[in-house]
């Protein structure tokens, strides 16, 4: 998986920098081309000579070569890379990356990198647990960076706890897994619905729900990371895809969402219906604001909205996969299975409002995947970004 890949190995100033030599060696052995970029303080821990000898490339550390004035272009490096791995990543560099403090070659390269970035933190346990480190790592995650969680064990301080940089073998395996997954959906077209629908009552009021779009956008981002051409048909939300190239079709009502899905579906390999579509819409939305002072309490008659998933399910062709969600409050498995069968789905992702941290608005979810045979796999509480990866893995295995 790493054959021919261009990897920037960023090294910062921590004791674990001695392991970076082994990491460079393993990457080279796996067929990658490795360019080391070190912070000035990293050179206190491991010499550039060792790393340039291992990688066959001069190490980059300064903006200029002192005696010739030659400029080292972080922009070119950022474009060259298929991945950037920062190992070890100290609390200081993580903080600079989170807030864009571009005062060295490593951070400027990070800010210019178009490729996925992997960060392997290494520091003492108290630094690791400090709220600023926790917040900075969460910020990097929100930028789409991959955090290779530090391991627990004996630390340089001789204290024991979380803060050890993962072993080079683990980091290489993580990169291999990543490159394997990015090619998984190459050439596939994926359609995702996300967010709520708004059904107009009058020009200023609507019937809606609490969906934030986080689950659907996480799926769309992950599918794009895996090489798919992704379209999100999105109800009104305040978020955007984080992966470049994801196409967003903005809609408001269930009928508009249906029209956009119908247009895209014949060209789609995998459709994932994550939107919380309103089941009913006002039959006769008013074209002027309903005035409280002048009118009696209005009676709003509702009509049934079209079922988008069922409509696509009826048109599904061999080779197309259709996956739905079920948001339940009770009798979860039976209700989800009933939806899967009625809508001709290949799989349904059940989330229950009875599970803490699941459902609307949260950054986490608790998903149970149910296939057409009724077999279920319950996943633990996890970030929606990880749940998205599990859902796509399961679709791949269908
Ligand atoms: O957006 P978030 O805040 O991150 O929240 C995520 C979520 C809770 C919205 C998501 O995880 C979820 O469960 N989405 C589906 C919610 C829902 O409407 O479930 P349902 O059981 O009512 O619908 C079943 C399936 O049919 C869903 O795939 C739904 O998209 C689809 N449907 C429903 C009604 C309708 N008229 N047309 C549809 O296509």
């Amino acid at each position: 998986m790493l054959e021919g890949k261009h990897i920037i190995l960023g090294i910062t100033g921590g004791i674990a920098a001695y392991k970076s030599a082994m990491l460079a060696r393993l990457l080279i052995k796996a067929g990658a081309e490795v360019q080391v970029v070190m912070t000035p303080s990293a050179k206190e821990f491991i010499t550039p000579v060792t790393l340039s000898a291992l990688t066959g490339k001069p190490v980059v550390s300064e903006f200029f070569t002192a005696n010739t004035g030659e400029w080292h272009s972080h922009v070119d490096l950022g474009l060259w890379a298929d991945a950037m791995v920062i190992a070890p990543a100290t609390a200081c560099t993580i903080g600079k990356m989170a807030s864009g403090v571009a005062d060295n070659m490593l951070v400027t390269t990070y800010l210019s990198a178009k490729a996925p970035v992997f960060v392997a933190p290494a520091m003492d346990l108290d630094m690791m647990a400090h709220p600023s480190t926790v917040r900075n790592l969460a910020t990097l995650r929100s930028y789409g960076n991959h955090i290779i969680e530090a391991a627990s064990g004996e630390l340089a301080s001789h204290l024991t706890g979380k803060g050890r940089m993962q072993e080079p073998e683990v980091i290489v395996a993580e990169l291999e897994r990543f490159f394997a997954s990015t090619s998984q959906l190459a050439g596939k077209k994926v359609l995702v619905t996300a967010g709520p629908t708004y059904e107009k009552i009058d020009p200023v009021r609507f019937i809606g729900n609490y969906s934030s779009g986080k689950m659907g956008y996480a799926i769309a981002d992950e599918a794009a990371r895996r090489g798919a051409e992704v379209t999100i048909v999105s109800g009104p939300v305040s978020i955007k895809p984080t992966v470049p190239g994801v196409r967003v079709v903005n809609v408001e009502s269930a009928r508009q969402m249906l029209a956009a899905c119908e247009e895209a579906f014949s060209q789609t390999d995998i459709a994932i219906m994550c939107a919380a579509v309103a089941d009913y819409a006002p039959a006769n939305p008013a074209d002027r604001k309903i005035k409280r002072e002048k009118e009696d309490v209005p009676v709003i008659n509702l009509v049934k909205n079209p079922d988008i998933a069922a409509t696509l399910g009826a048109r599904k062709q061999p080779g197309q996969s259709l996956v739905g969600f079920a948001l339940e409050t009770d009798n979860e498995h039976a209700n989800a299975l009933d939806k899967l069968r009625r809508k001709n789905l290949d799989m349904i992702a059940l989330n229950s409002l009875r599970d803490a941290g699941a459902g609307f608005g949260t950054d986490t979810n608790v998903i149970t995947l149910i296939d057409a045979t009724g077999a279920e796999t319950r996943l633990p509480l996890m970030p929606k970004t990880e749940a998205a990866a599990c859902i796509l893995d399961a679709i791949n295995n269908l």
Side-chain angles (χ1 to χ4, degrees), residues 193 195 210-216 273-279 305-310 323-328 339 343 351 359-362 365 384:
T193 65
Y210 295 114
S211 173
S212 63
K214 286 179 186 172
M215 188 68 247
M273 308 280 99
C274 188
V277 183
D279 288 315
N305 266 335
D307 189 319
I308 302 166
V323 173
F325 269 74
L327 180 61
E328 303 295 340
K339 283 177 185 167
K343 299 179 192 226
N351 40 188
F360 289 131
T362 52
N365 211 348
K384 281 181 174 163

Side-chain angles (χ1 to χ4, degrees), residues 144-366:
N145 299 163
H146 304 256
I147 310 300
I148 303 175
E149 288 290 340
S152 291
E154 194 184 347
L155 303 167
S157 59
H158 302 300
L159 295 170
T160 301
K162 186 175 175 183
R164 285 172 66 85
M165 184 178 101
Q166 281 292 358
E167 294 307 319
E169 291 80 2
V170 174
I171 297 173
V172 171
E174 185 81 16
L175 285 169
E176 280 177 332
R177 238 192 327 274
F178 172 79
F179 282 113
S181 71
T182 52
S183 55
Q184 191 188 86
L185 292 177
K188 298 273 185 230
K189 293 203 167 83
V190 173
L191 169 68
V192 182
T193 65
T197 63
Y198 285 0
E199 312 297 332
K200 264 198 169 66
I201 296 172
D202 70 12
V204 299
R205 302 180 181 93
F206 58 84
I207 295 175
N209 59 65
Y210 295 114
S211 173
S212 63
K214 286 179 186 172
M215 188 68 247
Y217 276 66
I219 294 170
D221 281 341
E222 183 60 25
R225 260 184 229 112
R226 295 178 181 209
E229 196 182 304
V230 182
T231 300
I232 309 184
V233 178
S234 176
V237 294
S238 58
I239 57 173
K240 289 189 164 49
T242 58
V243 179
V246 173
R247 188 169 83 99
V248 183
V249 179
N250 289 303
V251 297
E252 193 173 285
S253 67
R255 284 179 189 282
Q256 290 168 355
M257 189 171 272
L258 173 66
C261 288
E262 281 183 311
E263 196 179 322
F265 188 60
S266 62
Q267 306 297 316
T268 296
D269 298 295
I270 300 168
I272 305 170
M273 308 280 99
C274 188
V277 183
D279 288 315
Y280 301 97
N284 300 301
D287 52 10
R288 294 201 200 149
K289 185 177 174 189
I290 302 169
K291 291 276 193 279
R292 173 188 156 107
E293 301 80 17
K294 291 193 188 145
E295 298 178 28
D296 294 336
V297 175
V299 173
I300 301 170
N301 290 314
L302 300 177
V303 287
K304 253 190 171 175
N305 266 335
D307 189 319
I308 302 166
T311 308
L312 302 187
R315 295 189 192 164
K316 191 172 63 171
Q317 297 296 317
Q320 286 185 306
S321 300
L322 181 61
V323 173
F325 269 74
L327 180 61
E328 303 295 340
T329 54
D330 55 276
N331 210 8
E332 286 89 344
H333 184 94
N335 286 341
L337 195 56
D338 176 56
K339 283 177 185 167
L340 177 141
R341 297 206 164 127
R342 268 193 294 117
K343 299 179 192 226
N344 194 23
L345 306 174
D346 300 293
M347 189 174 83
I348 195 155
L350 160 68
N351 40 188
S352 170
L353 289 183
R354 282 202 285 188
D355 288 320
F360 289 131
T362 52
D363 289 328
T364 53
N365 211 348
V366 181

